[in-house]
Amino acid sequence: MSHLNDTTEHAGYAYYGSGLPNLAPPSSEAPKPPKRARAVAALGFSQAVDNSESGLTKTFFPLIAAAFGLGYTQLGIFSAIPMFARMIFGPTWAIAADRFGRKRVLVLVTGVWGLWTVACGFAPNYTVLVVLFAISAVGTVASEPVLNGMLPDLFKQSERGKAYGMVRGIGGGVGIIIGPAIGLFGNDPEGWRYALWTMGAISIVSGVLILLWVPRPAVTSVSVTDDPESGTFRFRDVGQLFRIPTIWMIVIMLPFITSLILLSFYTQFLVDVRGMKVPEAAVVMAVFSLGSMFSAFLGGFLGDLVTARFGHKGRIMLMQVYLVCFAATIYVATQIDSTNRVFIYVATFVMGLVFSIGFSGCVLPIVSTVVPKKLGASAFAFLFSFVQGGITAILSINIGVIADVFGDLQVTFLWFCVVPYLINAVIWCGFYVVYPRDAARQADRERVEAEALAIAQEGEGNTGN
């Protein structure tokens, strides 16, 4: 998992192509509040469903492994597939949504595409399951980029922050409920099939809700040609990003952010090492999700606090503290041998509570501070979808193989989760050199651009007179 984000998948730290919101003028034909409330509910529900679909194979891998005689290597493959799909098809779906209509595409990938998840439940062997799951993942990764582009069409500028917050809140809340509920199928050896059938059916229902509740966009997004500051993903922008030293440092540190790998294997760890059944492991993961919801808000608050106190160096200091603390929480949650349920639940919640602080409070604000606005979408998509997504996918496959060699997830977590975070705390010393300087340069550029715009507007006013 992401810090791709967290995706939300805990993460929600992946940003995709032209699916990022464009500025749009207010419309007198905006949908009435009740209709918009239903639209937000449908969109939040769809996001939760798609995130839950992509994580089903990890939740139920103990049963799938028993059914087909699989090991950690195959779990790594299942974990990598959504990452590769996110890299390749996230921007593709966003572009398709801009071309053919966001609502149509969202109904397709959330509703109709649920049939592929249903088909996964009928897989007679591992090979067929992987193929069907890969096709299913192509659709489940489309929800966020398309949704991010749809909300600006439904809400005027002053209402968008609340709209995004409500969608993420609904999605997170529904996800916390769906996980343990679907996990109850884990009491049956064939429960993974029932889970896939159920999730596919819920996905189809989600598509119907979008079809019925989400109105046609009342606002036409501003195109890049009309507004050069409205960011869309462009491959040609990547070269410009590497003129910024802080971006180089972000790329260097990303391979040492291994939390998504931890989350990919954590359910299996709870079963193999902690002796839990799948239904209870699903509840533990819901506890982690609950902690991570608070973590995102906590990170934003702490990031602003240390910046006000220490300037640009504040976020670097916070990131280093976070990296050490998260390494410590991983160590406690995975290296201390205990089957005490209170310990497991508390340790997992604390791990979730620390989980998002670094990205929400440090990494994402740092990137947005040093990158020009017109390159913002390209920066987030390149760093956290292409680079981090690719790294995580490759690591997931290799760590699955390594875990099979060690035959022990505890050792794997120690060397590939705890240690990398401690190394990263040292790497972040380099940001003290480049980040304050890059932030100052970007502030100077924005000041010059603002002054030039003010002069141009003044000249137009004088001409009019």
Side-chain angles (χ1 to χ4, degrees), residues 356-375:
S356 294
I357 291 176
F359 264 66
S360 61
C362 307
V363 177
L364 301 181
I366 283 175
V367 173
S368 64
T369 299
V370 301
V371 171
K373 292 180 181 178
K374 63 182 179 180
L375 301 180

Side-chain angles (χ1 to χ4, degrees), residues 24-82:
S27 169
S28 60
E29 301 178 1
K32 295 179 180 180
K35 291 185 178 180
R36 290 191 300 179
R38 291 187 304 180
V40 168
L43 294 174
F45 185 71
S46 74
Q47 189 174 62
V49 169
D50 282 350
N51 288 339
S52 298
E53 279 185 280
S54 62
L56 272 182
T57 52
K58 288 177 283 189
T59 300
F60 286 89
F61 186 78
L63 300 183
I64 297 172
F68 297 136
L70 309 179
Y72 296 133
T73 299
Q74 288 74 30
L75 175 56
I77 292 172
F78 276 121
S79 301
I81 287 173

Side-chain angles (χ1 to χ4, degrees), residues 22 34 52 69 73 80 82 102 104 127 133 152 159-160 164 219 225 257 299 329 344 424 433 455:
N22 293 325
S52 298
T73 299
R102 295 185 177 99
R104 291 176 181 174
T127 302
F133 178 68
E159 298 174 323
R160 290 179 196 163
Y164 277 103
V219 174
T225 55
I257 298 293
T329 62
I344 295 171
N424 215 353
V433 177
I455 293 173

Side-chain angles (χ1 to χ4, degrees), residues 174-445:
V174 171
I176 290 173
I177 295 172
I178 286 180
I182 294 294
L184 292 175
F185 287 121
N187 289 314
D188 189 311
E190 293 292 301
W192 64 275
R193 297 187 186 273
Y194 306 144
L196 288 165
W197 293 334
T198 302
M199 247 359 273
I202 294 175
S203 182
I204 294 171
V205 171
S206 175
V208 173
L209 292 180
I210 292 172
L211 185 65
L212 297 177
W213 286 1
V214 177
R216 289 184 179 180
V219 174
T220 302
S221 296
V222 178
S223 69
V224 180
T225 55
D226 295 327
D227 179 11
E229 293 300 312
S230 64
T232 59
F233 178 74
R234 295 179 290 260
F235 283 102
R236 65 177 180 271
D237 291 340
V238 173
Q240 298 181 55
L241 293 175
F242 282 107
R243 297 175 184 174
I244 305 171
T246 299
I247 298 300
W248 278 102
M249 288 300 302
I250 294 288
V251 172
I252 291 172
M253 73 93 185
L254 281 176
F256 298 90
I257 298 293
T258 55
S259 56
L260 293 182
I261 294 167
L262 168 72
L263 296 178
S264 295
F265 289 80
Y266 195 63
T267 298
Q268 191 71 29
F269 167 82
L270 292 172
V271 173
D272 289 352
V273 180
R274 299 302 190 204
M276 290 185 169
K277 301 296 185 182
V278 170
E280 188 177 9
V283 174
V284 174
M285 294 308 300
V287 169
F288 177 90
S289 298
L290 182 63
S292 68
M293 287 180 62
F294 291 110
S295 180
F297 294 106
L298 181 62
F301 170 76
L302 291 177
D304 291 343
L305 185 67
V306 295
T307 299
R309 176 66 177 83
F310 300 104
H312 291 306
K313 293 182 179 180
R315 294 195 192 276
I316 305 172
M317 296 164 58
L318 176 62
M319 185 66 181
Q320 290 181 302
V321 171
Y322 154 77
L323 290 167
V324 174
C325 288
F326 194 57
T329 62
I330 296 173
Y331 183 90
V332 170
T334 64
Q335 301 303 307
I336 296 178
D337 292 323
S338 175
T339 56
N340 183 281
R341 293 303 190 258
V342 174
F343 169 81
I344 295 171
Y345 279 88
V346 172
T348 302
F349 177 77
V350 172
M351 189 166 64
L353 193 61
V354 178
F355 174 71
S356 294
I357 291 176
F359 264 66
S360 61
C362 307
V363 177
L364 301 181
I366 283 175
V367 173
S368 64
T369 299
V370 301
V371 171
K373 292 180 181 178
K374 63 182 179 180
L375 301 180
S378 297
F380 284 116
F382 173 72
L383 290 172
F384 306 119
S385 183
F386 286 93
V387 176
Q388 190 182 24
I391 289 171
T392 303
I394 293 170
L395 284 177
S396 294
I397 294 174
N398 288 302
I399 287 179
V401 175
I402 292 169
D404 269 333
V405 173
F406 285 157
D408 189 341
L409 280 176
Q410 277 189 297
V411 175
T412 304
F413 285 158
L414 175 64
W415 288 105
F416 291 92
C417 293
V418 176
V419 172
Y421 269 82
L422 295 176
I423 294 174
N424 215 353
V426 177
I427 292 174
W428 268 78
C429 291
F431 282 83
Y432 288 108
V433 177
V434 298
Y435 173 56
R437 186 172 55 198
D438 289 341
R441 287 175 179 172
Q442 179 56 25
D444 289 340
R445 282 193 291 265

